[in-house]
Coordinates of all heavy atoms in Angstrom, one line a residue:
M1 N -56.1 35.5 148.1 CA -56.8 35.6 146.9 C -58.3 36.1 147.2 O -58.9 35.4 148.0 CB -56.8 34.3 146.1 CG -57.4 34.4 144.7 SD -57.5 32.9 143.8 CE -55.9 32.2 144.0
N2 N -58.7 37.1 146.6 CA -60.0 37.6 146.9 C -61.1 37.0 146.0 O -60.7 36.3 145.1 CB -60.1 39.2 146.9 CG -59.8 39.7 145.5 OD1 -60.1 39.1 144.5 ND2 -59.2 40.8 145.4
H3 N -62.3 37.2 146.3 CA -63.4 36.6 145.5 C -63.4 37.0 144.0 O -63.6 36.1 143.2 CB -64.8 37.1 146.1 CG -65.9 36.4 145.5 ND1 -66.2 35.1 145.6 CD2 -66.9 36.9 144.7 CE1 -67.3 34.8 144.9 NE2 -67.7 35.9 144.3
D4 N -63.0 38.2 143.7 CA -62.9 38.6 142.3 C -61.8 37.9 141.6 O -62.0 37.5 140.4 CB -62.6 40.1 142.2 CG -63.8 41.0 142.7 OD1 -65.0 40.5 142.7 OD2 -63.6 42.1 143.1
Q5 N -60.7 37.6 142.3 CA -59.6 36.9 141.7 C -60.0 35.4 141.4 O -59.7 34.9 140.4 CB -58.4 36.9 142.6 CG -57.2 36.2 142.0 CD -56.6 37.0 140.8 OE1 -56.6 38.2 140.7 NE2 -56.2 36.2 139.8
V6 N -60.8 34.8 142.4 CA -61.3 33.5 142.2 C -62.2 33.4 141.0 O -62.1 32.5 140.1 CB -61.9 33.0 143.5 CG1 -62.6 31.6 143.2 CG2 -60.9 32.8 144.6
S7 N -63.1 34.4 140.9 CA -64.1 34.4 139.8 C -63.3 34.5 138.4 O -63.7 33.9 137.5 CB -65.1 35.6 139.9 OG -65.8 35.4 141.1
M8 N -62.3 35.4 138.4 CA -61.6 35.6 137.2 C -60.8 34.3 136.8 O -60.8 33.9 135.7 CB -60.5 36.7 137.4 CG -59.8 37.1 136.1 SD -58.7 38.5 136.3 CE -57.3 37.6 137.1
N9 N -60.2 33.6 137.8 CA -59.6 32.4 137.5 C -60.5 31.3 137.1 O -60.2 30.5 136.2 CB -58.8 31.9 138.8 CG -57.6 32.7 139.1 OD1 -57.1 33.5 138.3 ND2 -57.0 32.5 140.3
L10 N -61.7 31.3 137.6 CA -62.7 30.3 137.2 C -63.0 30.5 135.7 O -63.1 29.5 134.9 CB -64.0 30.4 138.0 CG -64.0 29.8 139.4 CD1 -65.3 30.3 140.1 CD2 -63.9 28.3 139.3
L11 N -63.2 31.7 135.3 CA -63.5 32.0 133.9 C -62.3 31.8 133.0 O -62.5 31.2 131.9 CB -63.9 33.5 133.8 CG -65.3 33.9 134.4 CD1 -65.5 35.4 134.4 CD2 -66.4 33.2 133.6
Q12 N -61.1 32.1 133.5 CA -60.0 31.9 132.7 C -59.5 30.5 132.6 O -59.2 30.0 131.5 CB -58.8 32.8 133.3 CG -57.6 32.8 132.4 CD -56.5 33.6 133.1 OE1 -56.7 34.3 134.1 NE2 -55.3 33.6 132.4
F13 N -59.4 29.8 133.7 CA -58.8 28.5 133.7 C -59.8 27.3 133.6 O -59.5 26.2 133.2 CB -58.0 28.3 135.0 CG -56.9 29.3 135.2 CD1 -56.7 29.9 136.4 CD2 -56.1 29.6 134.1 CE1 -55.7 30.8 136.6 CE2 -55.1 30.6 134.3 CZ -54.9 31.2 135.5
C14 N -61.0 27.5 134.0 CA -62.0 26.4 134.1 C -63.0 26.3 133.0 O -63.6 25.3 132.8 CB -62.8 26.5 135.4 SG -61.7 26.4 136.9
Y15 N -63.1 27.4 132.2 CA -64.1 27.4 131.2 C -64.0 26.3 130.2 O -65.0 25.7 129.8 CB -64.0 28.8 130.4 CG -65.1 28.9 129.4 CD1 -66.4 29.2 129.7 CD2 -64.7 28.8 128.0 CE1 -67.3 29.4 128.8 CE2 -65.7 29.0 127.1 CZ -67.0 29.3 127.4 OH -68.0 29.4 126.5
T16 N -62.8 25.9 129.8 CA -62.6 24.9 128.8 C -62.2 23.6 129.4 O -61.9 22.6 128.7 CB -61.5 25.3 127.8 OG1 -60.3 25.6 128.5 CG2 -61.9 26.6 127.0
C17 N -62.1 23.5 130.7 CA -61.7 22.2 131.4 C -62.8 21.2 131.3 O -63.9 21.4 131.7 CB -61.3 22.5 132.8 SG -60.8 21.1 133.8
D18 N -62.4 20.0 130.9 CA -63.3 18.9 130.9 C -63.8 18.4 132.2 O -64.9 17.8 132.4 CB -62.7 17.7 130.1 CG -62.5 17.9 128.7 OD1 -63.2 18.8 128.1 OD2 -61.6 17.3 128.1
D19 N -63.0 18.7 133.3 CA -63.3 18.3 134.6 C -63.9 19.4 135.5 O -64.1 19.2 136.7 CB -62.1 17.7 135.3 CG -61.5 16.5 134.7 OD1 -62.3 15.7 134.2 OD2 -60.3 16.3 134.6
A20 N -64.3 20.5 134.9 CA -64.8 21.6 135.6 C -66.1 21.3 136.4 O -66.3 21.8 137.5 CB -65.1 22.8 134.6
A21 N -66.9 20.4 136.0 CA -68.1 20.0 136.7 C -67.7 19.3 138.0 O -68.6 19.3 138.9 CB -68.9 19.1 135.9
N22 N -66.5 18.8 138.2 CA -66.1 18.1 139.4 C -65.6 19.1 140.5 O -65.5 18.7 141.6 CB -65.0 17.1 139.1 CG -65.5 16.0 138.2 OD1 -66.6 15.6 138.2 ND2 -64.5 15.6 137.4
C23 N -65.4 20.4 140.1 CA -64.9 21.4 141.1 C -66.1 22.1 141.7 O -66.7 23.0 141.1 CB -64.0 22.4 140.4 SG -62.5 21.6 139.7
H24 N -66.5 21.6 142.9 CA -67.7 22.1 143.5 C -67.4 23.2 144.6 O -68.3 23.9 145.0 CB -68.5 21.0 144.3 CG -68.8 19.9 143.3 ND1 -69.8 20.0 142.4 CD2 -68.4 18.6 143.2 CE1 -69.9 18.9 141.7 NE2 -69.1 18.0 142.1
T25 N -66.2 23.3 145.0 CA -65.8 24.3 146.0 C -64.6 25.1 145.5 O -63.8 24.7 144.7 CB -65.5 23.6 147.4 OG1 -64.3 22.9 147.2 CG2 -66.6 22.8 147.9
E26 N -64.4 26.2 146.2 CA -63.3 27.1 145.8 C -62.0 26.4 146.2 O -61.0 26.4 145.4 CB -63.4 28.4 146.6 CG -62.2 29.3 146.4 CD -62.4 30.6 147.1 OE1 -63.6 31.1 147.3 OE2 -61.4 31.2 147.6
E27 N -61.9 25.6 147.3 CA -60.7 24.9 147.7 C -60.3 23.8 146.6 O -59.1 23.7 146.3 CB -60.9 24.2 149.0 CG -59.7 23.6 149.6 CD -58.6 24.6 149.8 OE1 -58.8 25.8 150.2 OE2 -57.4 24.2 149.6
I28 N -61.3 23.1 146.1 CA -61.0 22.2 145.0 C -60.4 22.9 143.8 O -59.5 22.4 143.2 CB -62.3 21.3 144.7 CG1 -62.7 20.5 145.9 CG2 -62.0 20.5 143.4 CD1 -64.0 19.8 145.7
C29 N -61.0 24.0 143.5 CA -60.5 24.8 142.3 C -59.1 25.2 142.6 O -58.2 25.1 141.7 CB -61.4 26.0 142.1 SG -63.0 25.6 141.4
R30 N -58.8 25.7 143.8 CA -57.4 26.2 144.1 C -56.4 25.0 144.0 O -55.3 25.2 143.5 CB -57.4 26.8 145.5 CG -58.0 28.1 145.5 CD -57.9 28.7 146.9 NE -58.6 30.0 147.0 CZ -58.4 30.9 147.9 NH1 -57.5 30.6 148.8 NH2 -59.1 32.0 147.9
Q31 N -56.8 23.8 144.5 CA -56.0 22.7 144.4 C -55.7 22.3 143.0 O -54.5 22.0 142.6 CB -56.6 21.5 145.2 CG -56.6 21.6 146.6 CD -57.3 20.5 147.3 OE1 -58.1 19.8 146.7 NE2 -57.0 20.2 148.6
C32 N -56.7 22.3 142.2 CA -56.5 22.0 140.7 C -55.6 23.0 140.1 O -54.7 22.7 139.3 CB -57.9 22.0 140.1 SG -57.8 21.6 138.3
W33 N -55.8 24.3 140.3 CA -55.0 25.3 139.7 C -53.5 25.2 140.2 O -52.6 25.3 139.4 CB -55.5 26.7 140.1 CG -56.9 27.1 139.7 CD1 -57.5 26.5 138.6 CD2 -57.8 27.9 140.3 NE1 -58.8 27.0 138.5 CE2 -59.0 27.9 139.5 CE3 -57.7 28.8 141.4 CZ2 -60.1 28.7 139.9 CZ3 -58.8 29.5 141.7 CH2 -60.0 29.5 141.0
A34 N -53.3 24.8 141.5 CA -52.0 24.6 142.0 C -51.3 23.4 141.3 O -50.1 23.5 140.9 CB -52.0 24.5 143.5
E35 N -52.1 22.4 141.1 CA -51.5 21.2 140.5 C -51.2 21.5 139.0 O -50.2 20.9 138.5 CB -52.6 20.0 140.5 CG -52.8 19.4 141.9 CD -54.0 18.5 141.9 OE1 -54.6 18.2 140.9 OE2 -54.3 18.0 143.0
Q36 N -51.9 22.3 138.4 CA -51.7 22.7 137.0 C -50.6 23.8 136.8 O -50.2 24.1 135.7 CB -53.0 23.1 136.3 CG -54.1 22.1 136.3 CD -53.7 20.8 135.6 OE1 -53.1 20.9 134.5 NE2 -54.1 19.7 136.2
G37 N -50.1 24.3 138.0 CA -49.1 25.4 138.0 C -49.7 26.7 137.5 O -49.0 27.6 137.0
L38 N -51.0 26.9 137.8 CA -51.7 28.2 137.4 C -51.6 29.2 138.4 O -52.0 30.4 138.1 CB -53.1 27.9 136.9 CG -53.2 26.9 135.8 CD1 -54.7 26.5 135.6 CD2 -52.6 27.4 134.5
L39 N -51.3 28.9 139.7 CA -51.2 29.9 140.7 C -49.8 30.2 141.0 O -48.9 29.4 140.9 CB -51.8 29.3 142.0 CG -53.3 29.1 142.1 CD1 -53.7 28.5 143.4 CD2 -54.1 30.4 141.8
S40 N -49.5 31.5 141.3 CA -48.2 31.8 141.7 C -47.9 31.2 143.1 O -48.8 30.9 143.9 CB -48.0 33.3 141.8 OG -48.7 33.9 142.8
H41 N -46.6 31.1 143.5 CA -46.2 30.6 144.7 C -46.8 31.4 145.9 O -47.2 30.9 146.9 CB -44.7 30.4 144.8 CG -44.2 29.7 146.0 ND1 -44.5 28.4 146.2 CD2 -43.5 30.1 147.0 CE1 -44.0 28.0 147.4 NE2 -43.3 29.0 147.9
E42 N -46.8 32.7 145.7 CA -47.3 33.6 146.8 C -48.8 33.4 147.1 O -49.2 33.4 148.2 CB -47.1 35.1 146.4 CG -45.6 35.5 146.4 CD -45.1 35.7 145.0 OE1 -45.9 35.9 144.1 OE2 -43.9 35.6 144.9
E43 N -49.6 33.2 146.0 CA -51.0 32.9 146.2 C -51.2 31.6 146.9 O -52.1 31.5 147.8 CB -51.7 32.9 144.8 CG -51.8 34.2 144.1 CD -52.3 34.1 142.7 OE1 -52.2 33.0 142.1 OE2 -52.9 35.1 142.3
E44 N -50.4 30.6 146.6 CA -50.5 29.3 147.3 C -50.2 29.5 148.8 O -50.9 29.0 149.7 CB -49.6 28.3 146.7 CG -50.0 27.8 145.3 CD -49.1 26.8 144.7 OE1 -48.8 25.8 145.4 OE2 -48.5 27.1 143.6
E45 N -49.1 30.2 149.1 CA -48.7 30.4 150.5 C -49.8 31.2 151.2 O -50.1 30.9 152.4 CB -47.4 31.1 150.5 CG -46.2 30.3 150.2 CD -44.9 31.0 150.2 OE1 -44.9 32.2 150.5 OE2 -43.9 30.4 150.0
A46 N -50.3 32.3 150.6 CA -51.4 33.1 151.2 C -52.6 32.2 151.5 O -53.2 32.4 152.6 CB -51.7 34.3 150.3
S47 N -53.0 31.4 150.6 CA -54.1 30.5 150.8 C -53.9 29.6 152.0 O -54.8 29.4 152.9 CB -54.4 29.7 149.6 OG -55.4 28.8 149.8
T48 N -52.7 29.0 152.1 CA -52.3 28.2 153.2 C -52.3 28.9 154.5 O -52.8 28.4 155.5 CB -51.0 27.5 153.0 OG1 -51.0 26.8 151.7 CG2 -50.6 26.5 154.1
D49 N -51.7 30.1 154.5 CA -51.7 30.9 155.8 C -53.1 31.3 156.2 O -53.4 31.2 157.4 CB -50.9 32.2 155.5 CG -49.4 31.9 155.3 OD1 -48.9 30.8 155.7 OD2 -48.7 32.8 154.8
I50 N -53.9 31.7 155.3 CA -55.3 32.0 155.7 C -56.0 30.8 156.3 O -56.7 30.9 157.3 CB -56.1 32.6 154.5 CG1 -55.4 34.0 154.1 CG2 -57.5 32.8 154.8 CD1 -55.9 34.6 152.8
S51 N -55.9 29.7 155.6 CA -56.5 28.5 156.1 C -56.1 28.1 157.5 O -56.9 27.8 158.4 CB -56.2 27.3 155.2 OG -56.8 27.5 153.9
R52 N -54.7 28.3 157.8 CA -54.2 28.0 159.1 C -54.8 29.0 160.1 O -55.2 28.6 161.2 CB -52.7 28.1 159.1 CG -52.1 26.7 158.8 CD -50.6 26.8 159.1 NE -50.0 26.9 157.8 CZ -49.0 27.7 157.5 NH1 -48.4 28.5 158.4 NH2 -48.5 27.7 156.3
M53 N -54.9 30.2 159.8 CA -55.4 31.2 160.7 C -56.9 31.0 161.0 O -57.3 31.1 162.2 CB -55.3 32.6 160.1 CG -53.8 33.1 160.1 SD -53.5 34.6 159.2 CE -54.9 35.6 159.4
I54 N -57.7 30.6 160.0 CA -59.1 30.3 160.2 C -59.2 29.1 161.1 O -60.0 29.1 162.0 CB -59.8 30.1 158.9 CG1 -59.9 31.5 158.2 CG2 -61.2 29.5 159.1 CD1 -60.4 31.4 156.7
N55 N -58.5 28.1 160.8 CA -58.5 26.8 161.6 C -58.1 27.1 163.1 O -58.7 26.6 164.0 CB -57.6 25.7 161.1 CG -58.2 25.2 159.8 OD1 -59.4 25.2 159.5 ND2 -57.3 24.6 158.9
A56 N -57.1 27.9 163.3 CA -56.7 28.3 164.7 C -57.7 29.1 165.4 O -58.0 28.9 166.6 CB -55.4 29.1 164.6
Y57 N -58.4 29.9 164.7 CA -59.5 30.8 165.3 C -60.6 29.9 165.8 O -61.2 30.1 166.8 CB -60.0 31.8 164.3 CG -61.0 32.7 164.8 CD1 -60.7 33.8 165.6 CD2 -62.4 32.5 164.5 CE1 -61.7 34.6 166.2 CE2 -63.4 33.3 165.0 CZ -63.1 34.3 165.8 OH -64.1 35.1 166.3
Y58 N -61.0 28.9 165.0 CA -62.2 28.1 165.3 C -61.9 26.9 166.1 O -62.7 26.1 166.5 CB -62.9 27.7 164.0 CG -63.7 28.9 163.4 CD1 -63.3 29.5 162.3 CD2 -64.8 29.4 164.1 CE1 -63.9 30.5 161.7 CE2 -65.5 30.4 163.5 CZ -65.1 31.0 162.4 OH -65.7 32.1 161.8
A59 N -60.6 26.6 166.4 CA -60.2 25.4 167.1 C -60.4 25.6 168.6 O -60.5 26.6 169.2 CB -58.7 25.1 166.9

């Protein structure tokens, strides 16, 4: 998910959320969206794959 997609999701999904003030990072937002069923399965998998790749690179 690119930065533009995250920004669009913030505007679309978080604008009316009562807990939006608790989402301080993109990762927290993605977790919330996934819990709410707002992300497609491919987006969740891509996020996980990217996280694994970054962690492997810096390990």
Side-chain angles (χ1 to χ4, degrees):
M1 183 182 317
N2 64 34
H3 183 69
D4 292 336
Q5 183 69 36
V6 171
S7 296
M8 186 178 79
N9 286 349
L10 284 169
L11 290 171
Q12 182 179 359
F13 302 135
C14 301
Y15 183 75
T16 59
C17 179
D18 293 335
D19 297 326
N22 298 327
C23 296
H24 303 288
T25 66
E26 181 177 324
E27 187 60 35
I28 293 172
C29 290
R30 287 183 185 198
Q31 287 175 337
C32 180
W33 299 333
E35 289 170 4
Q36 301 299 318
L38 300 172
L39 292 180
S40 71
H41 188 62
E42 291 106 21
E43 289 173 335
E44 291 178 54
E45 286 179 356
S47 174
T48 302
D49 290 341
I50 292 170
S51 296
R52 270 191 258 136
M53 289 171 34
I54 291 171
N55 288 336
Y57 180 78
Y58 287 107

